[in-house]
């Protein structure tokens, strides 16, 4: 009976990981970085507010798979996000940790560091952040968002402080 319970939990975890990976891939399906950059340019030209731009990023970069837009400075969690949050350091802390991980040659990384790098890609972080040996850089889209003061922390702040409707 105990083994059956463990197998069921492993199957649930594996299913959740597959769903997150698929949703992250689907979030920007069909949009190349150049197309996404153009979409951002069009939104800016249309006078979209930082809040609207942040919501676009939240909805298209995989954030909404695990989070719900929040209130009072905190994002909420989807059901999948609640499952994934167990034992997870959080998105911003993962980004900070990745600045160290990229400095370690892949073959010398610990299992935890490998898992972090996999989650970084799985969660959609590579839409804006570029992993290069020895350094964490920005993609074209990431650089544009950073120039607009819409980095990860800014998007989190803007999408977690919505006024009650």
């Amino acid at each position: 009976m105990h083994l059956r319970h463990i197998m069921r939990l492993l199957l649930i975890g594996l299913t959740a990981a597959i769903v997150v990976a698929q949703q992250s891939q689907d979030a920007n399906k069909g949009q190349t970085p150049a197309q996404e950059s153009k979409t951002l340019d069009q939104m800016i030209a249309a006078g979209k507010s930082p809040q609207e731009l942040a919501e676009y990023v939240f909805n298209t970069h995989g954030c909404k798979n695990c989070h719900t837009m929040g209130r009072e400075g905190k994002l909420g969690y989807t059901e999948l996000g609640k499952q994934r949050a167990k034992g997870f350091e959080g998105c911003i802390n993962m980004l900070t940790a990745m600045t160290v991980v990229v400095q370690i040659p892949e073959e010398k990384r610990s299992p935890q560091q490998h898992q972090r790098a996999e989650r970084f890609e799985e969660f959609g972080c590579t839409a804006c952040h570029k992993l290069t040996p020895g350094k964490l850089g920005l993609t074209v889209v990431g650089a544009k968002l950073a120039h607009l003061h819409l980095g990860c922390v800014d998007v989190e702040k803007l999408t977690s402080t919505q006024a009650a409707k």
Side-chain angles (χ1 to χ4, degrees):
M1 185 74 169
H2 183 67
L3 180 61
R4 211 180 268 172
H5 180 69
I6 291 172
M7 293 300 289
R8 185 175 294 140
L9 289 176
L10 286 172
L11 182 59
I12 290 170
L14 179 61
T15 302
I18 290 168
V19 168
V20 167
Q22 185 61 47
Q23 287 175 339
S24 291
Q25 289 171 357
D26 290 346
N28 282 328
K29 195 174 229 165
Q31 268 207 332
T32 66
Q35 289 169 324
E36 184 172 2
S37 183
K38 183 178 177 182
T39 298
L40 286 169
D41 287 340
Q42 290 170 339
M43 292 177 75
I44 293 162
K48 299 294 183 183
S49 69
Q51 179 73 41
E52 290 169 308
L53 292 166
E55 288 176 13
Y56 167 78
V57 171
F58 182 91
N59 287 320
T60 59
H61 288 199
C63 307
K64 73 176 185 175
N65 296 331
C66 293
H67 294 286
T68 59
M69 290 195 195
R71 304 251 188 279
E72 300 174 6
K74 293 195 182 258
L75 292 174
Y77 289 101
T78 63
E79 285 303 314
L80 182 59
K82 288 176 189 174
Q83 291 174 11
R84 295 301 307 227
K86 296 173 185 164
F88 179 61
E89 71 268 24
C91 296
I92 302 302
N93 288 335
M94 179 177 61
L95 176 59
T96 302
M98 284 304 296
T99 62
V100 174
V101 171
V102 295
Q103 295 177 34
I104 301 167
E106 198 166 331
E107 66 277 1
K108 293 185 178 182
R109 292 179 188 168
S110 71
Q112 182 185 23
Q113 291 166 331
H114 279 289
Q115 182 186 39
R116 240 185 217 131
E118 288 170 11
R119 282 185 167 181
F120 195 74
E121 287 193 37
E122 179 184 319
F123 290 176
C125 303
T126 54
C128 295
H129 302 279
K130 187 173 17 178
L131 299 175
T132 57
K135 144 181 182 183
L136 185 62
L138 292 173
T139 64
V140 171
V141 171
K144 183 172 289 203
L145 290 168
H147 180 73
L148 294 168
H149 304 286
L150 286 171
C152 296
V153 173
D154 304 301
V155 169
E156 180 180 358
K157 285 179 186 175
L158 286 167
T159 57
S160 66
T161 56
Q162 290 188 343
K165 294 181 180 179

mmCIF file of all heavy atoms in Angstrom, residues 95-138:
data_model
loop_
_atom_site.group_PDB
_atom_site.id
_atom_site.type_symbol
_atom_site.label_atom_id
_atom_site.label_comp_id
_atom_site.label_asym_id
_atom_site.label_seq_id
_atom_site.Cartn_x
_atom_site.Cartn_y
_atom_site.Cartn_z
ATOM 1 N N LEU A 95 16.292 33.213 -10.024
ATOM 2 C CA LEU A 95 17.027 34.075 -10.951
ATOM 3 C C LEU A 95 18.357 34.495 -10.337
ATOM 4 O O LEU A 95 19.404 34.428 -10.985
ATOM 5 C CB LEU A 95 16.189 35.305 -11.308
ATOM 6 C CG LEU A 95 16.841 36.351 -12.194
ATOM 7 C CD1 LEU A 95 17.257 35.749 -13.529
ATOM 8 C CD2 LEU A 95 15.894 37.520 -12.402
ATOM 9 N N THR A 96 18.332 34.883 -9.095
ATOM 10 C CA THR A 96 19.562 35.271 -8.393
ATOM 11 C C THR A 96 20.531 34.099 -8.329
ATOM 12 O O THR A 96 21.730 34.253 -8.594
ATOM 13 C CB THR A 96 19.229 35.765 -6.966
ATOM 14 O OG1 THR A 96 18.314 36.865 -7.080
ATOM 15 C CG2 THR A 96 20.467 36.220 -6.234
ATOM 16 N N ALA A 97 20.026 32.918 -8.003
ATOM 17 C CA ALA A 97 20.877 31.726 -7.920
ATOM 18 C C ALA A 97 21.484 31.376 -9.276
ATOM 19 O O ALA A 97 22.622 30.908 -9.351
ATOM 20 C CB ALA A 97 20.074 30.543 -7.376
ATOM 21 N N MET A 98 20.759 31.642 -10.347
ATOM 22 C CA MET A 98 21.259 31.319 -11.680
ATOM 23 C C MET A 98 22.477 32.154 -12.048
ATOM 24 O O MET A 98 23.304 31.717 -12.849
ATOM 25 C CB MET A 98 20.165 31.485 -12.733
ATOM 26 C CG MET A 98 19.149 30.357 -12.736
ATOM 27 S SD MET A 98 19.873 28.712 -12.955
ATOM 28 C CE MET A 98 20.555 28.852 -14.594
ATOM 29 N N THR A 99 22.624 33.336 -11.463
ATOM 30 C CA THR A 99 23.817 34.144 -11.745
ATOM 31 C C THR A 99 25.072 33.429 -11.254
ATOM 32 O O THR A 99 26.156 33.642 -11.802
ATOM 33 C CB THR A 99 23.730 35.546 -11.111
ATOM 34 O OG1 THR A 99 23.656 35.436 -9.691
ATOM 35 C CG2 THR A 99 22.527 36.323 -11.632
ATOM 36 N N VAL A 100 24.928 32.578 -10.250
ATOM 37 C CA VAL A 100 26.050 31.773 -9.751
ATOM 38 C C VAL A 100 26.178 30.489 -10.570
ATOM 39 O O VAL A 100 27.281 30.114 -10.972
ATOM 40 C CB VAL A 100 25.856 31.445 -8.247
ATOM 41 C CG1 VAL A 100 26.927 30.491 -7.757
ATOM 42 C CG2 VAL A 100 25.834 32.725 -7.417
ATOM 43 N N VAL A 101 25.052 29.840 -10.846
ATOM 44 C CA VAL A 101 25.065 28.550 -11.551
ATOM 45 C C VAL A 101 25.732 28.668 -12.919
ATOM 46 O O VAL A 101 26.518 27.801 -13.300
ATOM 47 C CB VAL A 101 23.635 27.977 -11.681
ATOM 48 C CG1 VAL A 101 23.604 26.752 -12.588
ATOM 49 C CG2 VAL A 101 23.072 27.637 -10.302
ATOM 50 N N VAL A 102 25.451 29.741 -13.663
ATOM 51 C CA VAL A 102 26.020 29.861 -15.011
ATOM 52 C C VAL A 102 27.537 29.998 -15.000
ATOM 53 O O VAL A 102 28.180 29.775 -16.018
ATOM 54 C CB VAL A 102 25.403 31.030 -15.821
ATOM 55 C CG1 VAL A 102 23.943 30.777 -16.094
ATOM 56 C CG2 VAL A 102 25.635 32.359 -15.160
ATOM 57 N N GLN A 103 28.109 30.334 -13.850
ATOM 58 C CA GLN A 103 29.560 30.463 -13.748
ATOM 59 C C GLN A 103 30.254 29.116 -13.530
ATOM 60 O O GLN A 103 31.473 29.028 -13.619
ATOM 61 C CB GLN A 103 29.919 31.432 -12.622
ATOM 62 C CG GLN A 103 29.441 32.851 -12.918
ATOM 63 C CD GLN A 103 29.731 33.799 -11.785
ATOM 64 O OE1 GLN A 103 30.737 33.658 -11.107
ATOM 65 N NE2 GLN A 103 28.864 34.764 -11.597
ATOM 66 N N ILE A 104 29.454 28.086 -13.269
ATOM 67 C CA ILE A 104 29.997 26.754 -13.017
ATOM 68 C C ILE A 104 29.851 25.932 -14.298
ATOM 69 O O ILE A 104 28.748 25.829 -14.846
ATOM 70 C CB ILE A 104 29.238 26.070 -11.856
ATOM 71 C CG1 ILE A 104 29.354 26.917 -10.590
ATOM 72 C CG2 ILE A 104 29.737 24.655 -11.638
ATOM 73 C CD1 ILE A 104 28.409 26.509 -9.490
ATOM 74 N N PRO A 105 30.942 25.344 -14.797
ATOM 75 C CA PRO A 105 30.819 24.507 -15.999
ATOM 76 C C PRO A 105 29.756 23.429 -15.786
ATOM 77 O O PRO A 105 29.639 22.863 -14.699
ATOM 78 C CB PRO A 105 32.213 23.890 -16.144
ATOM 79 C CG PRO A 105 33.125 24.810 -15.401
ATOM 80 C CD PRO A 105 32.312 25.386 -14.283
ATOM 81 N N GLU A 106 28.975 23.171 -16.818
ATOM 82 C CA GLU A 106 27.845 22.253 -16.708
ATOM 83 C C GLU A 106 28.230 20.906 -16.116
ATOM 84 O O GLU A 106 27.518 20.356 -15.278
ATOM 85 C CB GLU A 106 27.192 22.072 -18.077
ATOM 86 C CG GLU A 106 25.805 21.507 -17.968
ATOM 87 C CD GLU A 106 25.018 21.632 -19.254
ATOM 88 O OE1 GLU A 106 25.261 22.563 -20.028
ATOM 89 O OE2 GLU A 106 24.158 20.760 -19.459
ATOM 90 N N GLU A 107 29.375 20.368 -16.508
ATOM 91 C CA GLU A 107 29.788 19.042 -16.021
ATOM 92 C C GLU A 107 30.178 19.056 -14.539
ATOM 93 O O GLU A 107 30.273 18.007 -13.914
ATOM 94 C CB GLU A 107 30.926 18.467 -16.875
ATOM 95 C CG GLU A 107 32.236 19.225 -16.803
ATOM 96 C CD GLU A 107 32.323 20.442 -17.731
ATOM 97 O OE1 GLU A 107 31.355 20.740 -18.447
ATOM 98 O OE2 GLU A 107 33.383 21.090 -17.715
ATOM 99 N N LYS A 108 30.388 20.233 -13.963
ATOM 100 C CA LYS A 108 30.766 20.334 -12.543
ATOM 101 C C LYS A 108 29.611 20.777 -11.645
ATOM 102 O O LYS A 108 29.794 20.939 -10.445
ATOM 103 C CB LYS A 108 31.944 21.309 -12.382
ATOM 104 C CG LYS A 108 33.220 20.799 -13.018
ATOM 105 C CD LYS A 108 34.375 21.722 -12.748
ATOM 106 C CE LYS A 108 35.648 21.150 -13.366
ATOM 107 N NZ LYS A 108 36.803 21.993 -13.092
ATOM 108 N N ARG A 109 28.433 20.962 -12.216
ATOM 109 C CA ARG A 109 27.287 21.398 -11.423
ATOM 110 C C ARG A 109 26.730 20.263 -10.576
ATOM 111 O O ARG A 109 26.727 19.108 -10.986
ATOM 112 C CB ARG A 109 26.173 21.927 -12.340
ATOM 113 C CG ARG A 109 26.545 23.209 -13.034
ATOM 114 C CD ARG A 109 25.436 23.691 -13.933
ATOM 115 N NE ARG A 109 25.896 24.824 -14.722
ATOM 116 C CZ ARG A 109 25.241 25.319 -15.743
ATOM 117 N NH1 ARG A 109 24.085 24.803 -16.113
ATOM 118 N NH2 ARG A 109 25.735 26.346 -16.405
ATOM 119 N N SER A 110 26.229 20.634 -9.413
ATOM 120 C CA SER A 110 25.583 19.669 -8.519
ATOM 121 C C SER A 110 24.208 19.312 -9.083
ATOM 122 O O SER A 110 23.676 20.022 -9.940
ATOM 123 C CB SER A 110 25.417 20.278 -7.124
ATOM 124 O OG SER A 110 24.421 21.299 -7.161
ATOM 125 N N PRO A 111 23.614 18.222 -8.583
ATOM 126 C CA PRO A 111 22.254 17.881 -9.032
ATOM 127 C C PRO A 111 21.272 19.032 -8.797
ATOM 128 O O PRO A 111 20.414 19.297 -9.642
ATOM 129 C CB PRO A 111 21.896 16.655 -8.185
ATOM 130 C CG PRO A 111 23.220 16.021 -7.877
ATOM 131 C CD PRO A 111 24.177 17.176 -7.711
ATOM 132 N N GLN A 112 21.410 19.731 -7.687
ATOM 133 C CA GLN A 112 20.522 20.871 -7.391
ATOM 134 C C GLN A 112 20.724 21.993 -8.421
ATOM 135 O O GLN A 112 19.763 22.612 -8.871
ATOM 136 C CB GLN A 112 20.773 21.401 -5.977
ATOM 137 C CG GLN A 112 19.846 22.548 -5.612
ATOM 138 C CD GLN A 112 20.168 23.153 -4.257
ATOM 139 O OE1 GLN A 112 21.282 23.047 -3.765
ATOM 140 N NE2 GLN A 112 19.183 23.803 -3.665
ATOM 141 N N GLN A 113 21.958 22.237 -8.804
ATOM 142 C CA GLN A 113 22.236 23.283 -9.792
ATOM 143 C C GLN A 113 21.700 22.886 -11.168
ATOM 144 O O GLN A 113 21.179 23.730 -11.899
ATOM 145 C CB GLN A 113 23.733 23.573 -9.842
ATOM 146 C CG GLN A 113 24.221 24.259 -8.582
ATOM 147 C CD GLN A 113 25.732 24.244 -8.460
ATOM 148 O OE1 GLN A 113 26.418 23.342 -8.955
ATOM 149 N NE2 GLN A 113 26.270 25.251 -7.770
ATOM 150 N N HIS A 114 21.795 21.606 -11.522
ATOM 151 C CA HIS A 114 21.218 21.129 -12.778
ATOM 152 C C HIS A 114 19.701 21.309 -12.762
ATOM 153 O O HIS A 114 19.106 21.744 -13.748
ATOM 154 C CB HIS A 114 21.564 19.654 -13.026
ATOM 155 C CG HIS A 114 22.933 19.445 -13.591
ATOM 156 N ND1 HIS A 114 23.270 19.789 -14.880
ATOM 157 C CD2 HIS A 114 24.051 18.930 -13.028
ATOM 158 C CE1 HIS A 114 24.539 19.496 -15.093
ATOM 159 N NE2 HIS A 114 25.039 18.976 -13.981
ATOM 160 N N GLN A 115 19.085 20.985 -11.630
ATOM 161 C CA GLN A 115 17.632 21.121 -11.501
ATOM 162 C C GLN A 115 17.224 22.586 -11.646
ATOM 163 O O GLN A 115 16.240 22.905 -12.307
ATOM 164 C CB GLN A 115 17.144 20.575 -10.162
ATOM 165 C CG GLN A 115 15.629 20.674 -10.024
ATOM 166 C CD GLN A 115 15.137 20.288 -8.656
ATOM 167 O OE1 GLN A 115 15.770 20.604 -7.648
ATOM 168 N NE2 GLN A 115 14.009 19.606 -8.609
ATOM 169 N N ARG A 116 17.986 23.487 -11.040
ATOM 170 C CA ARG A 116 17.703 24.911 -11.155
ATOM 171 C C ARG A 116 17.746 25.370 -12.608
ATOM 172 O O ARG A 116 16.880 26.115 -13.065
ATOM 173 C CB ARG A 116 18.719 25.710 -10.349
ATOM 174 C CG ARG A 116 18.073 26.509 -9.309
ATOM 175 C CD ARG A 116 19.017 27.398 -8.560
ATOM 176 N NE ARG A 116 18.549 27.376 -7.186
ATOM 177 C CZ ARG A 116 19.300 27.160 -6.143
ATOM 178 N NH1 ARG A 116 20.580 26.980 -6.286
ATOM 179 N NH2 ARG A 116 18.779 27.157 -4.952
ATOM 180 N N ALA A 117 18.770 24.945 -13.330
ATOM 181 C CA ALA A 117 18.916 25.330 -14.738
ATOM 182 C C ALA A 117 17.747 24.778 -15.568
ATOM 183 O O ALA A 117 17.233 25.473 -16.452
ATOM 184 C CB ALA A 117 20.251 24.838 -15.284
ATOM 185 N N GLU A 118 17.319 23.554 -15.275
ATOM 186 C CA GLU A 118 16.190 22.967 -15.991
ATOM 187 C C GLU A 118 14.906 23.732 -15.703
ATOM 188 O O GLU A 118 14.134 24.026 -16.619
ATOM 189 C CB GLU A 118 16.021 21.498 -15.598
ATOM 190 C CG GLU A 118 17.102 20.596 -16.157
ATOM 191 C CD GLU A 118 17.074 19.191 -15.564
ATOM 192 O OE1 GLU A 118 16.095 18.827 -14.867
ATOM 193 O OE2 GLU A 118 18.046 18.453 -15.792
ATOM 194 N N ARG A 119 14.681 24.064 -14.440
ATOM 195 C CA ARG A 119 13.484 24.825 -14.074
ATOM 196 C C ARG A 119 13.503 26.215 -14.702
ATOM 197 O O ARG A 119 12.469 26.740 -15.091
ATOM 198 C CB ARG A 119 13.363 24.956 -12.551
ATOM 199 C CG ARG A 119 12.848 23.729 -11.887
ATOM 200 C CD ARG A 119 12.644 23.970 -10.423
ATOM 201 N NE ARG A 119 11.859 22.896 -9.850
ATOM 202 C CZ ARG A 119 11.504 22.846 -8.587
ATOM 203 N NH1 ARG A 119 11.870 23.793 -7.757
ATOM 204 N NH2 ARG A 119 10.795 21.840 -8.147
ATOM 205 N N PHE A 120 14.680 26.801 -14.781
ATOM 206 C CA PHE A 120 14.836 28.127 -15.362
ATOM 207 C C PHE A 120 14.297 28.142 -16.796
ATOM 208 O O PHE A 120 13.576 29.055 -17.189
ATOM 209 C CB PHE A 120 16.321 28.512 -15.327
ATOM 210 C CG PHE A 120 16.592 29.960 -15.555
ATOM 211 C CD1 PHE A 120 16.330 30.895 -14.564
ATOM 212 C CD2 PHE A 120 17.137 30.393 -16.750
ATOM 213 C CE1 PHE A 120 16.594 32.235 -14.765
ATOM 214 C CE2 PHE A 120 17.412 31.733 -16.956
ATOM 215 C CZ PHE A 120 17.140 32.655 -15.966
ATOM 216 N N GLU A 121 14.630 27.113 -17.549
ATOM 217 C CA GLU A 121 14.117 27.000 -18.918
ATOM 218 C C GLU A 121 12.640 26.611 -18.911
ATOM 219 O O GLU A 121 11.836 27.185 -19.629
ATOM 220 C CB GLU A 121 14.931 25.980 -19.706
ATOM 221 C CG GLU A 121 16.300 26.522 -20.068
ATOM 222 C CD GLU A 121 17.013 25.689 -21.105
ATOM 223 O OE1 GLU A 121 16.338 25.182 -22.024
ATOM 224 O OE2 GLU A 121 18.238 25.561 -20.989
ATOM 225 N N GLU A 122 12.307 25.632 -18.094
ATOM 226 C CA GLU A 122 10.938 25.114 -18.025
ATOM 227 C C GLU A 122 9.938 26.206 -17.664
ATOM 228 O O GLU A 122 8.830 26.247 -18.202
ATOM 229 C CB GLU A 122 10.902 24.002 -16.972
ATOM 230 C CG GLU A 122 9.578 23.353 -16.738
ATOM 231 C CD GLU A 122 9.675 22.339 -15.609
ATOM 232 O OE1 GLU A 122 10.668 21.596 -15.536
ATOM 233 O OE2 GLU A 122 8.756 22.304 -14.791
ATOM 234 N N PHE A 123 10.309 27.108 -16.778
ATOM 235 C CA PHE A 123 9.384 28.141 -16.301
ATOM 236 C C PHE A 123 9.292 29.338 -17.244
ATOM 237 O O PHE A 123 8.575 30.283 -16.976
ATOM 238 C CB PHE A 123 9.786 28.621 -14.911
ATOM 239 C CG PHE A 123 9.567 27.601 -13.823
ATOM 240 C CD1 PHE A 123 9.970 27.878 -12.535
ATOM 241 C CD2 PHE A 123 8.978 26.375 -14.062
ATOM 242 C CE1 PHE A 123 9.787 26.947 -11.515
ATOM 243 C CE2 PHE A 123 8.791 25.446 -13.050
ATOM 244 C CZ PHE A 123 9.196 25.742 -11.777
ATOM 245 N N GLY A 124 10.022 29.330 -18.358
ATOM 246 C CA GLY A 124 9.910 30.408 -19.323
ATOM 247 C C GLY A 124 10.884 31.553 -19.118
ATOM 248 O O GLY A 124 10.811 32.566 -19.810
ATOM 249 N N CYS A 125 11.811 31.411 -18.195
ATOM 250 C CA CYS A 125 12.761 32.485 -17.883
ATOM 251 C C CYS A 125 13.654 32.825 -19.074
ATOM 252 O O CYS A 125 14.102 33.966 -19.221
ATOM 253 C CB CYS A 125 13.628 32.114 -16.690
ATOM 254 S SG CYS A 125 12.684 31.714 -15.208
ATOM 255 N N THR A 126 13.890 31.838 -19.939
ATOM 256 C CA THR A 126 14.801 32.055 -21.060
ATOM 257 C C THR A 126 14.178 32.893 -22.175
ATOM 258 O O THR A 126 14.849 33.216 -23.149
ATOM 259 C CB THR A 126 15.330 30.717 -21.624
ATOM 260 O OG1 THR A 126 14.218 29.880 -21.941
ATOM 261 C CG2 THR A 126 16.240 30.031 -20.622
ATOM 262 N N ALA A 127 12.923 33.289 -22.021
ATOM 263 C CA ALA A 127 12.337 34.234 -22.977
ATOM 264 C C ALA A 127 13.040 35.585 -22.844
ATOM 265 O O ALA A 127 13.174 36.317 -23.821
ATOM 266 C CB ALA A 127 10.837 34.398 -22.728
ATOM 267 N N CYS A 128 13.510 35.895 -21.648
ATOM 268 C CA CYS A 128 14.175 37.180 -21.389
ATOM 269 C C CYS A 128 15.637 37.027 -20.991
ATOM 270 O O CYS A 128 16.438 37.930 -21.225
ATOM 271 C CB CYS A 128 13.455 37.931 -20.270
ATOM 272 S SG CYS A 128 11.771 38.416 -20.703
ATOM 273 N N HIS A 129 15.963 35.912 -20.345
ATOM 274 C CA HIS A 129 17.316 35.712 -19.823
ATOM 275 C C HIS A 129 18.061 34.695 -20.670
ATOM 276 O O HIS A 129 17.532 33.638 -20.975
ATOM 277 C CB HIS A 129 17.259 35.249 -18.364
ATOM 278 C CG HIS A 129 16.537 36.219 -17.492
ATOM 279 N ND1 HIS A 129 17.129 37.342 -16.988
ATOM 280 C CD2 HIS A 129 15.250 36.245 -17.070
ATOM 281 C CE1 HIS A 129 16.250 38.021 -16.280
ATOM 282 N NE2 HIS A 129 15.096 37.380 -16.310
ATOM 283 N N LYS A 130 19.281 35.036 -21.024
ATOM 284 C CA LYS A 130 20.102 34.187 -21.880
ATOM 285 C C LYS A 130 21.179 33.535 -21.024
ATOM 286 O O LYS A 130 21.944 34.222 -20.352
ATOM 287 C CB LYS A 130 20.725 35.054 -22.976
ATOM 288 C CG LYS A 130 21.462 34.287 -24.020
ATOM 289 C CD LYS A 130 21.940 35.120 -25.205
ATOM 290 C CE LYS A 130 21.989 36.592 -25.027
ATOM 291 N NZ LYS A 130 22.491 37.342 -26.156
ATOM 292 N N LEU A 131 21.218 32.215 -21.041
ATOM 293 C CA LEU A 131 22.239 31.469 -20.325
ATOM 294 C C LEU A 131 23.434 31.287 -21.243
ATOM 295 O O LEU A 131 23.327 30.636 -22.274
ATOM 296 C CB LEU A 131 21.710 30.100 -19.897
ATOM 297 C CG LEU A 131 20.512 30.087 -18.959
ATOM 298 C CD1 LEU A 131 20.032 28.658 -18.729
ATOM 299 C CD2 LEU A 131 20.852 30.753 -17.652
ATOM 300 N N THR A 132 24.538 31.886 -20.890
ATOM 301 C CA THR A 132 25.773 31.700 -21.635
ATOM 302 C C THR A 132 26.831 31.252 -20.649
ATOM 303 O O THR A 132 26.761 31.605 -19.471
ATOM 304 C CB THR A 132 26.219 33.000 -22.335
ATOM 305 O OG1 THR A 132 26.353 34.028 -21.357
ATOM 306 C CG2 THR A 132 25.221 33.450 -23.383
ATOM 307 N N PRO A 133 27.793 30.475 -21.081
ATOM 308 C CA PRO A 133 28.816 30.006 -20.147
ATOM 309 C C PRO A 133 29.475 31.179 -19.416
ATOM 310 O O PRO A 133 29.972 32.120 -20.037
ATOM 311 C CB PRO A 133 29.816 29.276 -21.049
ATOM 312 C CG PRO A 133 28.997 28.841 -22.229
ATOM 313 C CD PRO A 133 27.988 29.940 -22.435
ATOM 314 N N GLY A 134 29.391 31.123 -18.109
ATOM 315 C CA GLY A 134 30.034 32.132 -17.278
ATOM 316 C C GLY A 134 29.215 33.373 -17.004
ATOM 317 O O GLY A 134 29.596 34.210 -16.202
ATOM 318 N N LYS A 135 28.060 33.512 -17.650
ATOM 319 C CA LYS A 135 27.312 34.756 -17.460
ATOM 320 C C LYS A 135 25.838 34.581 -17.786
ATOM 321 O O LYS A 135 25.457 33.798 -18.648
ATOM 322 C CB LYS A 135 27.990 35.814 -18.311
ATOM 323 C CG LYS A 135 27.161 36.815 -18.969
ATOM 324 C CD LYS A 135 28.007 37.767 -19.793
ATOM 325 C CE LYS A 135 27.069 38.797 -20.382
ATOM 326 N NZ LYS A 135 27.666 39.747 -21.247
ATOM 327 N N LEU A 136 25.029 35.356 -17.095
ATOM 328 C CA LEU A 136 23.589 35.397 -17.345
ATOM 329 C C LEU A 136 23.311 36.722 -18.047
ATOM 330 O O LEU A 136 23.549 37.788 -17.490
ATOM 331 C CB LEU A 136 22.825 35.319 -16.020
ATOM 332 C CG LEU A 136 21.318 35.221 -16.075
ATOM 333 C CD1 LEU A 136 20.885 33.940 -16.781
ATOM 334 C CD2 LEU A 136 20.736 35.243 -14.671
ATOM 335 N N GLY A 137 22.862 36.656 -19.295
ATOM 336 C CA GLY A 137 22.607 37.862 -20.068
ATOM 337 C C GLY A 137 21.123 38.032 -20.345
ATOM 338 O O GLY A 137 20.284 37.345 -19.772
ATOM 339 N N LEU A 138 20.817 38.958 -21.236
ATOM 340 C CA LEU A 138 19.436 39.221 -21.616
ATOM 341 C C LEU A 138 19.250 38.950 -23.105
ATOM 342 O O LEU A 138 20.142 39.219 -23.912
ATOM 343 C CB LEU A 138 19.059 40.677 -21.323
ATOM 344 C CG LEU A 138 18.990 41.074 -19.858
ATOM 345 C CD1 LEU A 138 18.778 42.580 -19.728
ATOM 346 C CD2 LEU A 138 17.882 40.324 -19.134
#
